[in-house]
Amino acid sequence: MLDLNSDVRYLKGIGEKKALALNKLGVFSLYDLISYFPRKYEDRSKYKPISICSDGENVCIRAFVANDPSLVTVRRGTSLVKLRAADESGVIDITFFNRPYAKNQLHKGEDYIFYGKIECSGSRKSMINPVFEREFGEHKLTGKIFPLYSLTAGISQTDLSNSVRQVLDNCLDYVPEVLPQDVLNEEKLCQLRYAYENIHFPADFKALELARKRLVFEELFVISCALSRIRKTRVQTPGIKMHMLDITGFYDSLPFSPTSAQRRSINEAMDDMCSGREMSRLLQGDVGSGKTLVAAALIWFCRKNGYSSAFMAPTEILAQQHFETLNNFLSPFGLKTGLLIGSMTAKEKRVVKEGLAKGEYDLIIGTHALFSADVEYKNLGLIVTDEQHRFGVNQRAALISKGSNPHVLVMSATPIPRTLALILYGDLDVSIIDELPPGRQKIDTFAVDESYRQRLNNFILKLTGEGRQVFVVCPMVEENEELPVKLKSAQEHAKELSALFPHLKTACVHGKMKAADKEKIMSEFAKGQIDILVATTVIEVGVDVPNAALMIVENAERFGLSQLHQLRGRVGRGPHKSYCVLVSNSDSEDTKARLSIMHKTNDGFKISEEDLRLRGPGDFFGARQHGLPQTHIADLGADTQLLQKAQASADALLRKDPSLSLPGNQPLREKIEKLFKSSSDSFN
Ligand code: ADP
Ligand code: MG
């Protein structure tokens, strides 16, 4: 007897090999299988007479085969089956590439249904590789909305549909309902059985929509409950209790007055640290909004309370820059700051480590070297991590384990739409610096095409002539012949530029270089020894080069808006008027609209909202860097309204039953536990 926990290998038609293929898709149990939703659907429900089919249309036609299909082998490995089909209204040419078996499946004079894309050229109509089946008999492939699943080698669409059908027929009654009845009523969500049936085998598009809405809601509801519960556990974790202090003395020493957003963020964090609970706070602020100062204030605060701090940066060069900046802020108060990075000699490292163990440093700055096993801390009260998404959750956990529940501040320069912040950083409290220091100049941004190349080159000459430096960002390292558009490769482009400007020093950094080589070039650029730095997006990570005044992005259409905004933030960090030029030859209206947003606004939050709206969260955050929980069906970009409702319902439920111990909430509780098991480190 099958139940939802049974292994997929017990299904009819699924042997050992196919079971392994399913496992690759993350499908192990029958419950996993029915929760593996189609990637998209084809509308194979519409029939048309051949004569009225138009170019590019996907339709079913009912037609008889008019001649004997012919099979020719064009080249080795390429075969063509050709035939002509007809209905009462007209004829159509049908071609199959590399499907030699079609010749024997289609017989002259018999009736079939063909589903595919119509191509018209003059009065001739054709279809390539249509789906087909006999007109008489059961229709399995046509006459319906047809689900298409993401596949992997060894498993076919038919395998998946057949297996899902078996599970729905046998186990649908046992799928646990996790949504409370009042939520179902309130949101007018359809019943569970209806949802699973119609997400896989939609009766029509209306039914599909209802099914999808319910399943999306359920998924977001479960994630929301899960995150609320993590937040709650964290709130109960005791932390070092500090004492509130007057911080004006620190402010008075600064060369400028902190913005009110900086002050507010500092106050929020100090309140956390005095609460007796462990702080886990995300500090979010646009590039250049002054996050480092917030960190400095909190480090100062800890020291006044008798604790030391650790500051973790994602690269050595950033660690070095932070070392200088923070030392400037803190040394007037007698704080001692140390640096610990991989490229230091063994002896240098030993000295620092000994100092740390003795408690000689008030602040230690470094890369992941900070959490190697032989580093001991004394009185560690605060850990700050910069550009958090570059660190794995485990790395951060390793550092946290160094102290006894030190407070944690995570800094991020990726502005996140508020709707998403709760999901993305669901277990953190959030401070937002939504204000730039006064007097920041706007970075003039232009989107241009190839016809501006000459002018752009002249502009490079002009600015470098004035002593400025230039960033050029390319989307990839090497030529990639598979892509139809010729993309600027960083290496090739650097060669062109250095041939064009022999008197300037041009260098190239890209992701495939060794970290040490990369760092070397970056630091030469930071010191002004390189005029033009051609790079892939490795430079995204906040290196400060105040003398850089021009950012050129090649193939700008390949980048997300938030990414472009980050890149743009690399210039305009000094006193010089700065520019960003986005080069794109794309004709697409969408691309033009996207790039024009960059021209119109410098506000990272607005940009990220637009970006999310236009591209969806997957692209938005870049490949798997984002730490978003993997969703099966919800689209965190498009489903924001449902997300808000699901969050509200989750909060309401948890207020009534915080530990989810009521019998009715058992299925929900189990689902949450399962979620953690399957994605224990996909939460930030
Ligand atoms: P980010 O948030 O990108 O890390 P930084 O901390 O590097 O920003 O700050 C960017 C620049 O702004 C630095 O040169 C810093 O000294 C300066 N800055 C920070 N806060 C203020 C302020 N309140 N007034 C003027 N300049 C500030
Ligand atoms: Mg920074």
Side-chain angles (χ1 to χ4, degrees):
M1 186 57 203
L2 293 179
D3 67 48
L4 286 169
N5 294 321
S6 305
D7 195 294
V8 284
R9 63 169 48 83
Y10 300 119
L11 287 169
K12 269 193 222 103
I14 300 295
E16 208 59 34
K17 274 202 184 129
K18 288 186 179 174
L20 285 175
L22 284 171
N23 294 168
K24 262 201 211 144
L25 298 173
V27 173
F28 297 87
S29 69
L30 302 191
Y31 195 17
D32 296 338
L33 183 65
I34 55 166
S35 307
Y36 190 72
F37 302 124
R39 174 176 55 91
K40 61 175 195 174
Y41 301 85
E42 273 179 359
D43 184 1
R44 302 183 184 177
S45 63
K46 281 188 296 223
Y47 296 84
K48 273 194 173 178
I50 293 173
S51 64
I52 63 163
C53 291
S54 46
D55 192 33
E57 191 176 17
N58 289 299
V59 287
C60 293
I61 55 173
R62 293 190 174 89
F64 66 93
V65 173
N67 58 359
D68 281 320
S70 66
L71 170 66
V72 274
T73 303
V74 196
R75 269 175 279 130
R76 216 183 343 169
T78 310
S79 72
L80 284 182
V81 172
K82 289 185 166 235
L83 61 102
R84 178 160 288 186
D87 64 9
E88 282 166 5
S89 76
V91 295
I92 188 163
D93 291 321
I94 292 179
T95 309
F96 294 93
F97 283 103
N98 290 335
R99 300 190 185 172
Y101 47 84
K103 177 176 160 58
N104 301 324
Q105 290 175 340
L106 291 157
H107 306 284
K108 183 177 166 185
E110 292 186 9
D111 294 314
Y112 298 88
I113 293 169
F114 296 93
Y115 166 80
K117 185 170 173 179
I118 302 282
E119 283 174 36
C120 298
S121 137
S123 59
R124 293 178 71 106
K125 295 203 158 107
S126 57
M127 253 186 194
I128 292 171
N129 290 351
V131 171
F132 63 92
E133 62 190 344
R134 282 180 183 277
E135 155 88 277
F136 301 104
E138 193 196 351
H139 292 172
K140 286 194 152 170
L141 303 175
T142 63
K144 57 186 81 169
I145 298 170
F146 195 83
L148 293 176
Y149 297 89
S150 298
L151 299 175
T152 184
I155 195 101
S156 69
Q157 295 293 351
T158 313
D159 292 331
L160 268 162
S161 317
N162 287 346
S163 314
V164 169
R165 187 69 265 161
Q166 283 178 62
V167 183
L168 292 180
D169 290 345
N170 289 296
C171 307
L172 202 46
D173 288 340
Y174 309 109
V175 179
E177 175 60 86
V178 299
L179 292 176
Q181 193 57 47
D182 54 336
V183 174
L184 286 172
N185 296 345
E186 214 166 289
E187 298 299 329
K188 301 196 178 57
L189 299 173
C190 68
Q191 291 301 314
L192 198 60
R193 302 176 49 118
Y194 182 90
Y196 276 96
E197 178 65 37
N198 282 286
I199 200 76
H200 290 288
F201 302 106
D204 53 44
F205 280 103
K206 180 83 197 129
L208 174 58
E209 184 50 41
L210 283 173
R212 188 178 177 278
K213 179 177 170 198
R214 188 227 138 87
L215 293 166
V216 167
F217 191 94
E218 174 174 325
E219 179 165 50
L220 295 174
F221 179 82
V222 173
I223 294 174
S224 300
C225 284
L227 290 171
S228 293
R229 296 197 73 204
I230 309 183
R231 262 198 304 283
K232 250 196 96 216
T233 335
R234 186 172 56 66
V235 164
Q236 291 155 354
T237 313
I240 299 162
K241 188 166 167 53
M242 303 206 179
H243 298 283
M244 195 44 89
L245 295 165
D246 181 6
I247 195 163
T248 45
F250 177 75
Y251 289 163
D252 290 343
S253 80
L254 297 171
F256 41 68
S257 168
T259 63
S260 54
Q262 284 171 320
R263 290 169 197 259
R264 187 181 59 232
S265 304
I266 293 166
N267 287 339
E268 285 167 352
M270 289 193 303
D271 282 344
D272 285 355
M273 293 196 278
C274 295
S275 70
R277 295 182 286 106
E278 187 188 299
M279 170 172 82
S280 295
R281 185 167 283 278
L282 171 73
L283 177 64
Q284 222 190 299
D286 212 342
V287 273
S289 60
K291 293 184 287 293
T292 321
L293 172 66
V294 173
L298 299 176
I299 292 162
W300 177 92
F301 177 76
C302 277
R303 151 69 188 265
K304 287 273 172 189
N305 268 282
Y307 291 93
S308 66
S309 305
F311 188 112
M312 201 161 57
T315 65
E316 297 211 348
I317 178 162
L318 277 171
Q320 249 147 356
Q321 282 194 345
H322 282 309
F323 176 73
E324 280 159 33
T325 320
L326 288 167
N327 201 30
N328 282 343
F329 282 134
L330 297 167
S331 59
F333 297 96
L335 270 72
K336 186 167 177 207
T337 302
L339 181 67
L340 186 62
I341 53 182
S343 66
M344 287 169 29
T345 64
K347 184 164 171 242
E348 287 168 333
K349 283 187 213 164
R350 202 178 55 237
V351 171
V352 175
K353 284 177 196 166
E354 281 167 9
L356 270 177
K358 285 193 220 136
E360 284 173 9
Y361 295 102
D362 301 302
L363 167 64
I364 182 75
I365 298 175
T367 50
H368 42 272
L370 287 185
F371 38 73
S372 46
D374 59 346
V375 183
E376 267 179 65
Y377 293 88
K378 217 172 164 188
N379 269 337
L380 186 60
L382 171 68
I383 295 169
V384 181
T385 71
D386 195 14
E387 310 292 344
Q388 65 51 241
H389 56 287
R390 308 265 158 171
F391 289 107
V393 175
N394 296 340
Q395 290 176 312
R396 222 182 305 135
L399 190 49
I400 291 170
S401 71
K402 295 278 184 188
S404 46
N405 292 345
H407 298 293
V408 178
L409 182 76
V410 170
M411 308 205 294
S412 167
T414 312
I416 293 153
R418 280 159 209 273
T419 41
L420 267 193
L422 195 58
I423 280 266
L424 187 50
Y425 298 109
D427 63 327
L428 304 180
D429 296 310
V430 181
S431 292
I432 296 181
I433 312 188
D434 50 6
E435 173 187 9
L436 291 182
R440 260 316 136 70
Q441 39 167 321
K442 184 169 173 291
I443 299 162
D444 285 342
T445 303
F446 307 95
V448 303
D449 62 23
E450 209 48 52
S451 67
Y452 283 76
R453 184 63 68 187
Q454 188 57 48
R455 280 203 253 171
L456 184 53
N457 288 339
N458 291 343
F459 195 49
I460 295 178
L461 267 182
K462 175 170 175 282
L463 287 179
T464 51
E466 291 166 8
R468 302 289 79 76
Q469 289 164 278
V470 179
F471 279 114
V472 183
V473 174
C474 297
M476 59 197 320
V477 191
E478 288 146 30
E479 283 307 320
N480 185 338
E481 284 158 24
E482 279 165 39
L483 286 164
V485 204
K486 188 167 151 52
L487 293 171
K488 282 279 175 194
S489 102
Q491 281 163 331
E492 192 183 283
H493 194 54
K495 268 191 217 133
E496 281 171 27
L497 288 172
S498 71
L500 205 56
F501 308 117
H503 67 292
L504 297 176
K505 179 135 198 268
T506 303
C508 178
V509 283
H510 55 74
K512 288 191 185 161
M513 286 165 74
K514 282 208 207 91
D517 297 340
K518 233 169 12 192
E519 301 247 341
K520 184 165 165 284
I521 293 183
M522 296 298 271
S523 83
E524 284 173 10
F525 187 68
K527 286 185 213 143
Q529 294 160 351
I530 292 170
D531 301 295
I532 305 177
L533 183 68
V534 183
T536 52
T537 44
V538 284
I539 59 159
E540 219 181 306
V541 217
V543 180
D544 206 3
V545 186
N547 191 43
L550 174 59
M551 164 63 65
I552 300 171
V553 184
E554 299 287 344
N555 293 105
E557 75 280 357
R558 307 276 302 179
F559 295 87
L561 289 182
S562 296
Q563 225 178 349
L564 290 174
H565 181 66
Q566 290 289 309
L567 289 171
R568 174 166 66 182
R570 297 300 108 222
V571 296
R573 297 174 83 85
H576 314 289
K577 171 76 194 159
S578 298
Y579 306 87
C580 174
V581 179
L582 308 172
V583 186
S584 170
N585 253 0
S586 163
D587 294 328
S588 135
E589 288 305 316
D590 284 357
T591 301
K592 287 183 187 158
R594 256 172 9 97
L595 296 183
S596 77
I597 294 169
M598 295 296 295
H599 170 70
K600 281 184 213 130
T601 178
N602 271 274
D603 178 338
F605 281 97
K606 264 196 203 134
I607 288 173
S608 76
E609 256 159 39
E610 278 298 310
D611 203 16
L612 186 66
R613 197 173 62 73
L614 293 167
R615 304 209 315 166
D619 291 335
F620 174 80
F621 292 106
R624 291 206 55 85
Q625 244 183 26
H626 45 62
L628 278 172
Q630 286 284 299
T631 52
H632 281 109
I633 185 164
D635 172 346
L636 292 171
D639 293 321
T640 43
Q641 276 199 344
L642 280 182
L643 173 58
Q644 281 166 335
K645 287 185 180 168
Q647 282 169 347
S649 302
D651 286 344
L653 177 81
L654 287 171
R655 267 196 301 277
K656 275 186 252 158
D657 183 12
S659 56
L660 295 179
S661 47
L662 296 177
N665 292 330
Q666 213 47 38
L668 174 61
R669 193 180 161 143
E670 277 164 24
K671 199 144 182 176
I672 291 174
E673 276 156 17
K674 213 170 144 210
L675 183 70
F676 282 123
K677 250 185 248 141
S678 65
S679 61
S680 55
D681 62 6
S682 69
F683 292 101
N684 248 298

